[in-house]
Amino acid sequence: MQKVLIQFLVIFLLSFQIINAQQPQKPNSVEIYNQIQKLTFLGSVLYIAAHPDDENTRLISYLSNETKARTGYLSLTRGDGGQNLIGSQLRELLGVIRTQELIEARKIDGGEQFFSRANDFGYSKNPDETLEIWDKEKVLSDIVWTIRKFQPDVIINRFDHRSAGTTHGHHTASALLSVKSFDLANNPAIFPEQLKLVEPWQPKRQFFNTSWWFYGSKEKFDAADKKNLFSIQTGVYYQSIGKSNQEIAALSRSRHQSQGFGSTGSRGEETEYLEFLNGKPLQDKVDIFEGIDTSWNRVKGGKPIGELLTKIASEFDFANPSASIPDLVKAYSLIQSLDENHWKLIKSEEIKKTIAACAGLFLEAVAQNQEATPASLLKLKLEVINRSQIAMDLTSVITLPESKKTPQNLSLKNNISQNINLDLQLPSTIEYTQPYWLKEKATEGLYTVSNQKIIGIPDIIREVKVVFNVQINGIEIPFERTVVYKYNDDVKGEMYNYLDIVPEVTTSILDKVSLFKDNKKKYLAVKIKAGKDAVKGDLQLDLPINWQVLPKSIPFTLDKKGTELTVYFEVTPPNSPYEVIAKSIAIIDGKIFDKEQIIIDFNHITKQQVLKPSEAKFIRMDLKIKEEKIAYIMGAGDEVPNSLAQMGYKVTLLNPEEISPEKLANFDVVMTGIRAYNTVQALANKQNILFDFVKGGKTMLVQYNNPNELVTENIAPFPMKISRDRVTEENAEVRFLAPNHPVLNSPNKITTKDFEGWKQEQGLYYPSDFDKAFTPILSSNDKGETPKKGALLIAPYGKGYYIYTGLSFFRELPEGISGAYKLLSNMISLQNPVSIPAEKGKR
């Protein structure tokens, strides 16, 4: 059993990698005092839902900061299937962004973050579909694994397991699996392979965190009988920090920038409601930990530790936190003397952070460069400073992963900075830095993570660290720090990033989709980037034999790391239509390098490196276009303009503020990007100009918008109401309502085969009511639902055409779906329309 616990402690240490890479944490006296208070509380809550942004940050903040409970959030997915308001990243790259946003949110509200392997495959209308695509048993095993590892006393579900069909299928599925796991986690016959690493665990009780949203309106909820609900008054004002609990929660929720969930903090009384589901019922309905010992008495030999920590809290000197260090070190020593158990590691890590904070102990390991390759020698600069009167010594440092111990024996005198230069030899076998859940090939509904130990860890696993062994009052305490890179920005000041381990060379085919409209050759660019100095090799573009590539190989030499070189291959496609995946491969001394480096860098999250196979889709297709000039107004961010350029169009990104009759006279078509009427306020005052553009004989093509918070209701020249209708089954049958309409016939003939192979969904936010001037072109629906006719609406207006579409071109074009290119070409080509009778349909 001791072996099991030790293995678990190693796993749990990985969870403490949620460190702010932008800046090291430097707690003030109030924050230190809160840390000490938290040391005395041994109770935990696990909140479970489906996606990033599903969590109730008010409740998480309250439980963590007011109750002092260890509070975790298990998001079953990383939010890969959502939309992105801050960039063009979708799917797994969006999942990387949303993962980091959750990590940043937890730093604010005090919670911890966990995930399952479930892949957010997009909107699902029922839990049965969700559980089938996810692989129910594997996601259930991940929840059981997290419960056994986290050992929550209380589980709280965000969603109702009895609500199938009334909300997102992922939501209901998360609750169904959580309820099922409540007892399974304590059954050793369930997922027994996990018991080599963790023990069975039985939570004491489980709740559903209900609210007015589940009742349909605040009025209905206010009128509902709440006698069976447990209430928590979460509207706490933390006088010592000058913020209400709701204000902290709003700051946390506002980290979800890619989803547009900026939140304004509130103040005053507020109540959260919990419905009891499983376990031991509450008698007094005062405390969710009723009947659970949350003191140190729950740990064998823990009573004196609890008494000492209580004394430290009661005697804490806000003007001199370092006065608490001797007793904190004594408490640390007592914790180390305990038998191996769940709380030993947790409280060891917590108390080490508190000791360092009380001493103003700054420990940092900085690399000379932000990137390094396997087998290279790192030059590190260590900074150590004790900013207290407490005597302490740096006895040694240990560099990881080489596990090399270097004696130091430095006396750390008050406010005297010590700088140490150190070499760290990276092993040739060290893993490249990247999100571990993206290393293996995923399925539609599940990421592949073969190593059970790391399932659920939120962040990238970073191996390069330095352990500072500091002796205080005769007790040696190891403080672990991840190696970082920092620099000074002339505008922003001191900037931090983590050290990334990179390949010796990465390559990128610049156009991720290349269209060949005939069998003429194209020159296609591949970028090569050096991960170290003096890189020399050969680059190849791998394609099937019926695609001609010249030259067969291109030699390259890059003298300095970070240097980039772009080379060109001449590619000639076959005569007949054909789709293929092209791969760029660099060969250095017989070793193959086939990865593309993708950097995700936003101010509100830690910079991320993602390594993907260096691939692109080449399509030989008979695509006809009329070479119109297109003005594109970006909305929430997408790759559609790049796809239009691939098709052969002249595309200009138009600043909405510049929209004028004179400016538009240069174009044949105006297109608005996804959610433009949700995100571009300037459009509210430009509609008349845009409609006059159409009236004069041009085309306006509007892509999908969310019905909520439109900048203007006047988005079309005729009445139209956007709904939440969508078709999530990408292979749902498509029916042509207006088969003779030019959009289905010219310049490309559209058939139902052109809707085969679409990704994630057909479309979303279709208009449900529209003026008789509109002709609905398509009809489709998910299983068991009525036909939806709002996917593509076209209305002649004056001499031109107004088009509204909810079809997911923003997903299909970057994926290289040939039918999407053909249909979009026809939409763009609608000019000088003839009179077409309106089809009978919903008005």
Side-chain angles (χ1 to χ4, degrees), residues 615-669:
E615 298 177 345
K617 192 171 188 178
F618 288 5
I619 306 173
R620 165 68 175 94
M621 64 182 296
D622 294 325
L623 178 68
K624 301 178 181 66
I625 70 168
K626 295 182 180 179
E627 300 184 0
E628 289 86 353
K629 295 178 181 178
I630 301 173
Y632 198 93
I633 302 168
M634 292 297 292
D638 58 58
E639 294 287 352
V640 172
N642 294 338
S643 299
L644 293 170
Q646 271 291 326
M647 295 167 73
Y649 293 110
K650 295 180 180 178
V651 184
T652 300
L653 296 181
L654 185 62
N655 184 336
E657 303 288 352
E658 297 177 348
I659 295 174
S660 67
E662 295 75 21
K663 193 79 170 180
L664 295 183
N666 299 311
F667 302 101
D668 303 298
V669 178

Side-chain angles (χ1 to χ4, degrees), residues 135-159:
D135 191 333
K136 176 182 177 181
E137 284 303 301
K138 289 183 178 178
V139 178
L140 179 63
S141 77
D142 289 355
I143 298 175
V144 169
W145 164 255
T146 304
I147 292 172
R148 288 170 172 175
K149 187 170 68 168
F150 188 76
Q151 296 188 13
D153 298 304
V154 176
I155 292 176
I156 300 176
N157 298 339
R158 167 76 281 191
F159 298 105

